[in-house]
Amino acid sequence: MKLKFPSTYTILFLLTVLMAALTWVIPAGKYQMEMNDTLGKKVPQVGSYQTVEANPQGIVEVLMAPVQGFYDPSSYAARAVDVALFVLIIGGFIAVVTSTGAIDAGIAATMTRLNGHEKWMIPILMGLFALGGTVYGMAEETLPFYTLLIPVMIAAGYDSIVGVAIIMIGAGIGCLGSTINPFATVIASNAAEISFMDGFALRAIILVFGWLLCVIYVMRYAAKVKADPSASLVFHQKTDNEQHFLHSKSQQVLTLTGTRKAVLVIFTLSFAIMVWGVSAAGWWMGELSALFIGATIVTGIVGRLTESETTDSFITGARDLLGVALIIAIARGLVVVMDNGNITHTILNFAEGLLGGLSDIAFINAIYWIEAVLCLVVPSSSGLAVLTMPIMAPLADFAGVSRELVVTAYQSASGLPNMITPTSGVVMGALAIGRVGYSSWLKFTLPLMGMLSVLVMILLSLAVTFS
């Protein structure tokens, strides 16, 4: 019998069990925390780590972890229930828009207009998502775009991996090269007690070269799949994906009527308001959910749907993304187990001990890899900044490395695993929407992750050498 790679749910649950087992082995410990008025959060004090009473996590705690992860706010992340509810509402909204025929008609019109030039959508869209990543750390906000973009890519002759890659890797490289991202660069810089503009030039260079590398990588894969569909890593799902994403129950080509154009305007405007709300008005999941509830009602009215058509479509769309909502909760539960087991700070203290006595080049590259590993433990960029920068930044002074390089190493590292880490609800949720198995995604992304790591390490080493 052929072995099958486990599902996303199983992977996350097994990781939760593993972390619970580690709470029985890894010594429990805590840093003393002090209030940072600038950040408005408590941060660990350098050299204050001490062991505490162990709190090993058992089977009951493992089973409770997804529940706690669903509604318990941590010191560094929003509640998973807020994100999960947003995903369900988005699913309902997109289903209502789809039921008007506007999306299918829009896809058909787009394919007709591009007429063989679909490949140029890849750099343009990846550039837009990278802009969102570098400016405000676009992450959860990307989830609605998968349902919209993947059908376009499949209709263009590509596969679902191309659609997922454009969004996830596009936004990911933006986060990796964060220039003014308030949830990563600004928080990390404040925690390191420097200006967030320090190191801007190096981060911009990482952003540009990283984006170029990612675009070339995705375009080469897309061209290979279009020339030979069997080269797709998800070729075995080709027929099912076409039926699922292209709604190919009917071969009728829908025309882009005035009503459908109006629905697409509402659709586009809703996402424009979302971007403005997050970046300029400080909105988060509650406000965004309310936005799309209102947009759903307006779409139903403008699209001339009956009350039952609107509500039935909304419920069906929300049901389709229920698995994504559950994944977000399970992923957060893994972090709950580590925090409750008092091993998160122990892992950080171990990392602190690895950095002593290293040369400046070795130090900055060690910071990069330590942060990359810690990102698997703390998948929130702001949480990782608050937790690690108060420890890592002072250590840089002893190593003769500028603090802005430590901030750049942190954000480059935190942006990298967030494209592949199974502890991220955004990553696993996006793969669930795209119907891409985690093993297939790893096959696609790992070579790119290696190339990006080499690029960042070279640029960090050059910056240390010439600083």
Side-chain angles (χ1 to χ4, degrees):
M1 183 177 67
K2 184 178 179 181
L3 293 178
K4 184 179 179 181
F5 200 81
S7 68
T8 298
Y9 308 97
T10 302
I11 292 172
L12 289 174
F13 188 76
L14 290 176
L15 286 174
T16 304
V17 171
L18 173 62
M19 288 303 171
L22 290 178
T23 64
W24 292 81
V25 178
I26 298 177
K30 288 277 189 181
Y31 281 94
Q32 292 182 17
M33 306 294 286
E34 62 180 359
M35 190 66 186
N36 184 307
D37 294 331
T38 302
L39 296 174
K41 298 177 181 288
K42 288 186 175 182
V43 299
Q45 300 179 36
V46 179
S48 66
Y49 175 83
Q50 56 186 3
T51 57
V52 298
E53 184 178 353
N55 185 30
Q57 304 291 285
I59 184 63
V60 174
E61 288 79 11
V62 168
L63 296 175
M64 280 293 297
V67 180
Q68 285 187 285
F70 206 63
Y71 63 82
D72 277 4
S74 67
S75 61
Y76 52 79
R79 295 185 306 171
V81 65
D82 298 330
V83 181
L85 182 60
F86 170 67
V87 167
L88 295 179
I89 290 172
I90 281 291
F93 167 67
I94 292 175
V96 171
V97 174
T98 300
S99 68
T100 67
I103 289 182
D104 288 348
I107 291 173
T110 300
M111 292 302 101
T112 301
R113 181 164 297 185
L114 287 172
N115 192 26
H117 299 286
E118 298 90 351
K119 66 179 182 180
W120 298 114
M121 294 177 66
I122 296 175
I124 293 171
L125 291 174
M126 289 185 73
L128 291 174
F129 285 111
L131 182 63
T134 193
V135 171
Y136 66 92
M138 194 176 194
E140 287 89 351
E141 304 88 346
T142 62
L143 289 173
F145 292 98
Y146 290 96
T147 306
L148 173 64
L149 185 59
I150 291 173
V152 176
M153 292 297 107
I154 291 178
Y158 304 128
D159 63 8
S160 58
I161 287 182
V162 174
V164 172
I166 289 173
I167 301 172
M168 190 184 302
I169 295 179
I173 194 62
C175 293
L176 187 152
S178 292
T179 50
I180 56 174
N181 176 7
F183 305 109
T185 307
V186 175
I187 289 178
S189 297
N190 285 340
E193 300 179 338
I194 61 173
S195 167
F196 73 90
M197 290 304 293
D198 293 343
F200 178 89
L202 176 59
R203 293 193 292 270
I205 292 172
I206 291 175
L207 174 64
V208 172
F209 281 96
W211 169 82
L212 184 61
L213 176 60
C214 291
V215 165
I216 293 172
Y217 187 86
V218 174
M219 289 186 75
R220 287 187 63 185
Y221 173 82
K224 184 169 64 173
V225 169
K226 188 160 188 174
D228 178 12
S230 65
S232 168
L233 294 173
V234 290
F235 177 70
H236 60 287
Q237 301 171 214
K238 187 176 186 297
T239 302
D240 288 342
N241 281 347
E242 288 173 351
Q243 292 176 345
H244 178 79
F245 289 110
L246 300 182
H247 311 286
S248 56
K249 296 179 290 295
S250 171
Q251 298 302 315
Q252 178 185 1
V253 177
L254 299 177
T255 57
L256 198 56
T257 63
T259 297
R260 288 171 179 150
K261 287 180 181 178
V263 170
L264 289 179
V265 169
I266 296 170
F267 186 86
T268 303
L269 186 60
S270 299
F271 287 103
I273 294 174
M274 180 189 77
V275 172
W276 171 83
V278 172
S279 59
W283 290 2
W284 198 225
M285 293 296 125
E287 294 84 353
L288 296 181
S289 296
L291 166 66
F292 284 101
I293 289 175
T296 300
I297 296 171
V298 174
T299 298
I301 295 172
V302 173
R304 301 176 184 177
L305 300 177
T306 65
E307 180 272 339
S308 61
E309 287 174 336
T310 302
T311 54
D312 289 348
S313 296
F314 186 88
I315 292 171
T316 299
R319 184 177 62 219
D320 289 344
L321 292 188
L322 181 60
V324 178
L326 292 175
I327 284 170
I328 292 170
I330 298 171
R332 187 68 57 81
L334 188 148
V335 180
V336 168
V337 166
M338 296 187 61
D339 287 345
N340 290 346
N342 295 326
I343 63 172
T344 304
H345 286 198
T346 300
I347 295 172
L348 177 61
N349 182 63
F350 175 74
E352 180 184 350
L354 293 176
L355 297 171
L358 297 178
S359 66
D360 51 3
I361 292 179
F363 176 87
I364 197 62
N365 284 287
I367 287 281
Y368 172 76
W369 283 107
I370 287 173
E371 293 284 357
V373 172
L374 289 176
C375 183
L376 301 176
V377 177
V378 185
S380 163
S381 58
S382 57
L384 189 64
V386 170
L387 188 63
T388 63
M389 283 301 101
I391 303 296
M392 302 302 182
L395 292 176
D397 298 336
F398 294 103
V401 175
S402 60
R403 292 190 175 195
E404 62 261 29
L405 286 178
V406 173
V407 171
T408 300
Y410 139 78
Q411 68 167 52
S412 298
S414 68
L416 192 66
N418 280 340
M419 302 184 214
I420 59 172
T421 175
T423 60
S424 168
V426 176
V427 171
M428 304 307 276
L431 295 182
I433 295 172
R435 296 159 62 94
V436 176
Y438 188 62
S439 59
S440 298
W441 183 246
L442 287 181
K443 289 178 184 178
F444 175 75
T445 53
L446 285 180
L448 177 61
M449 297 300 103
M451 289 184 279
L452 286 173
S453 293
V454 171
L455 172 66
V456 171
M457 291 172 67
I458 290 173
L459 292 174
L460 287 173
S461 300
L462 290 175
V464 167
T465 303
F466 294 104
S467 61

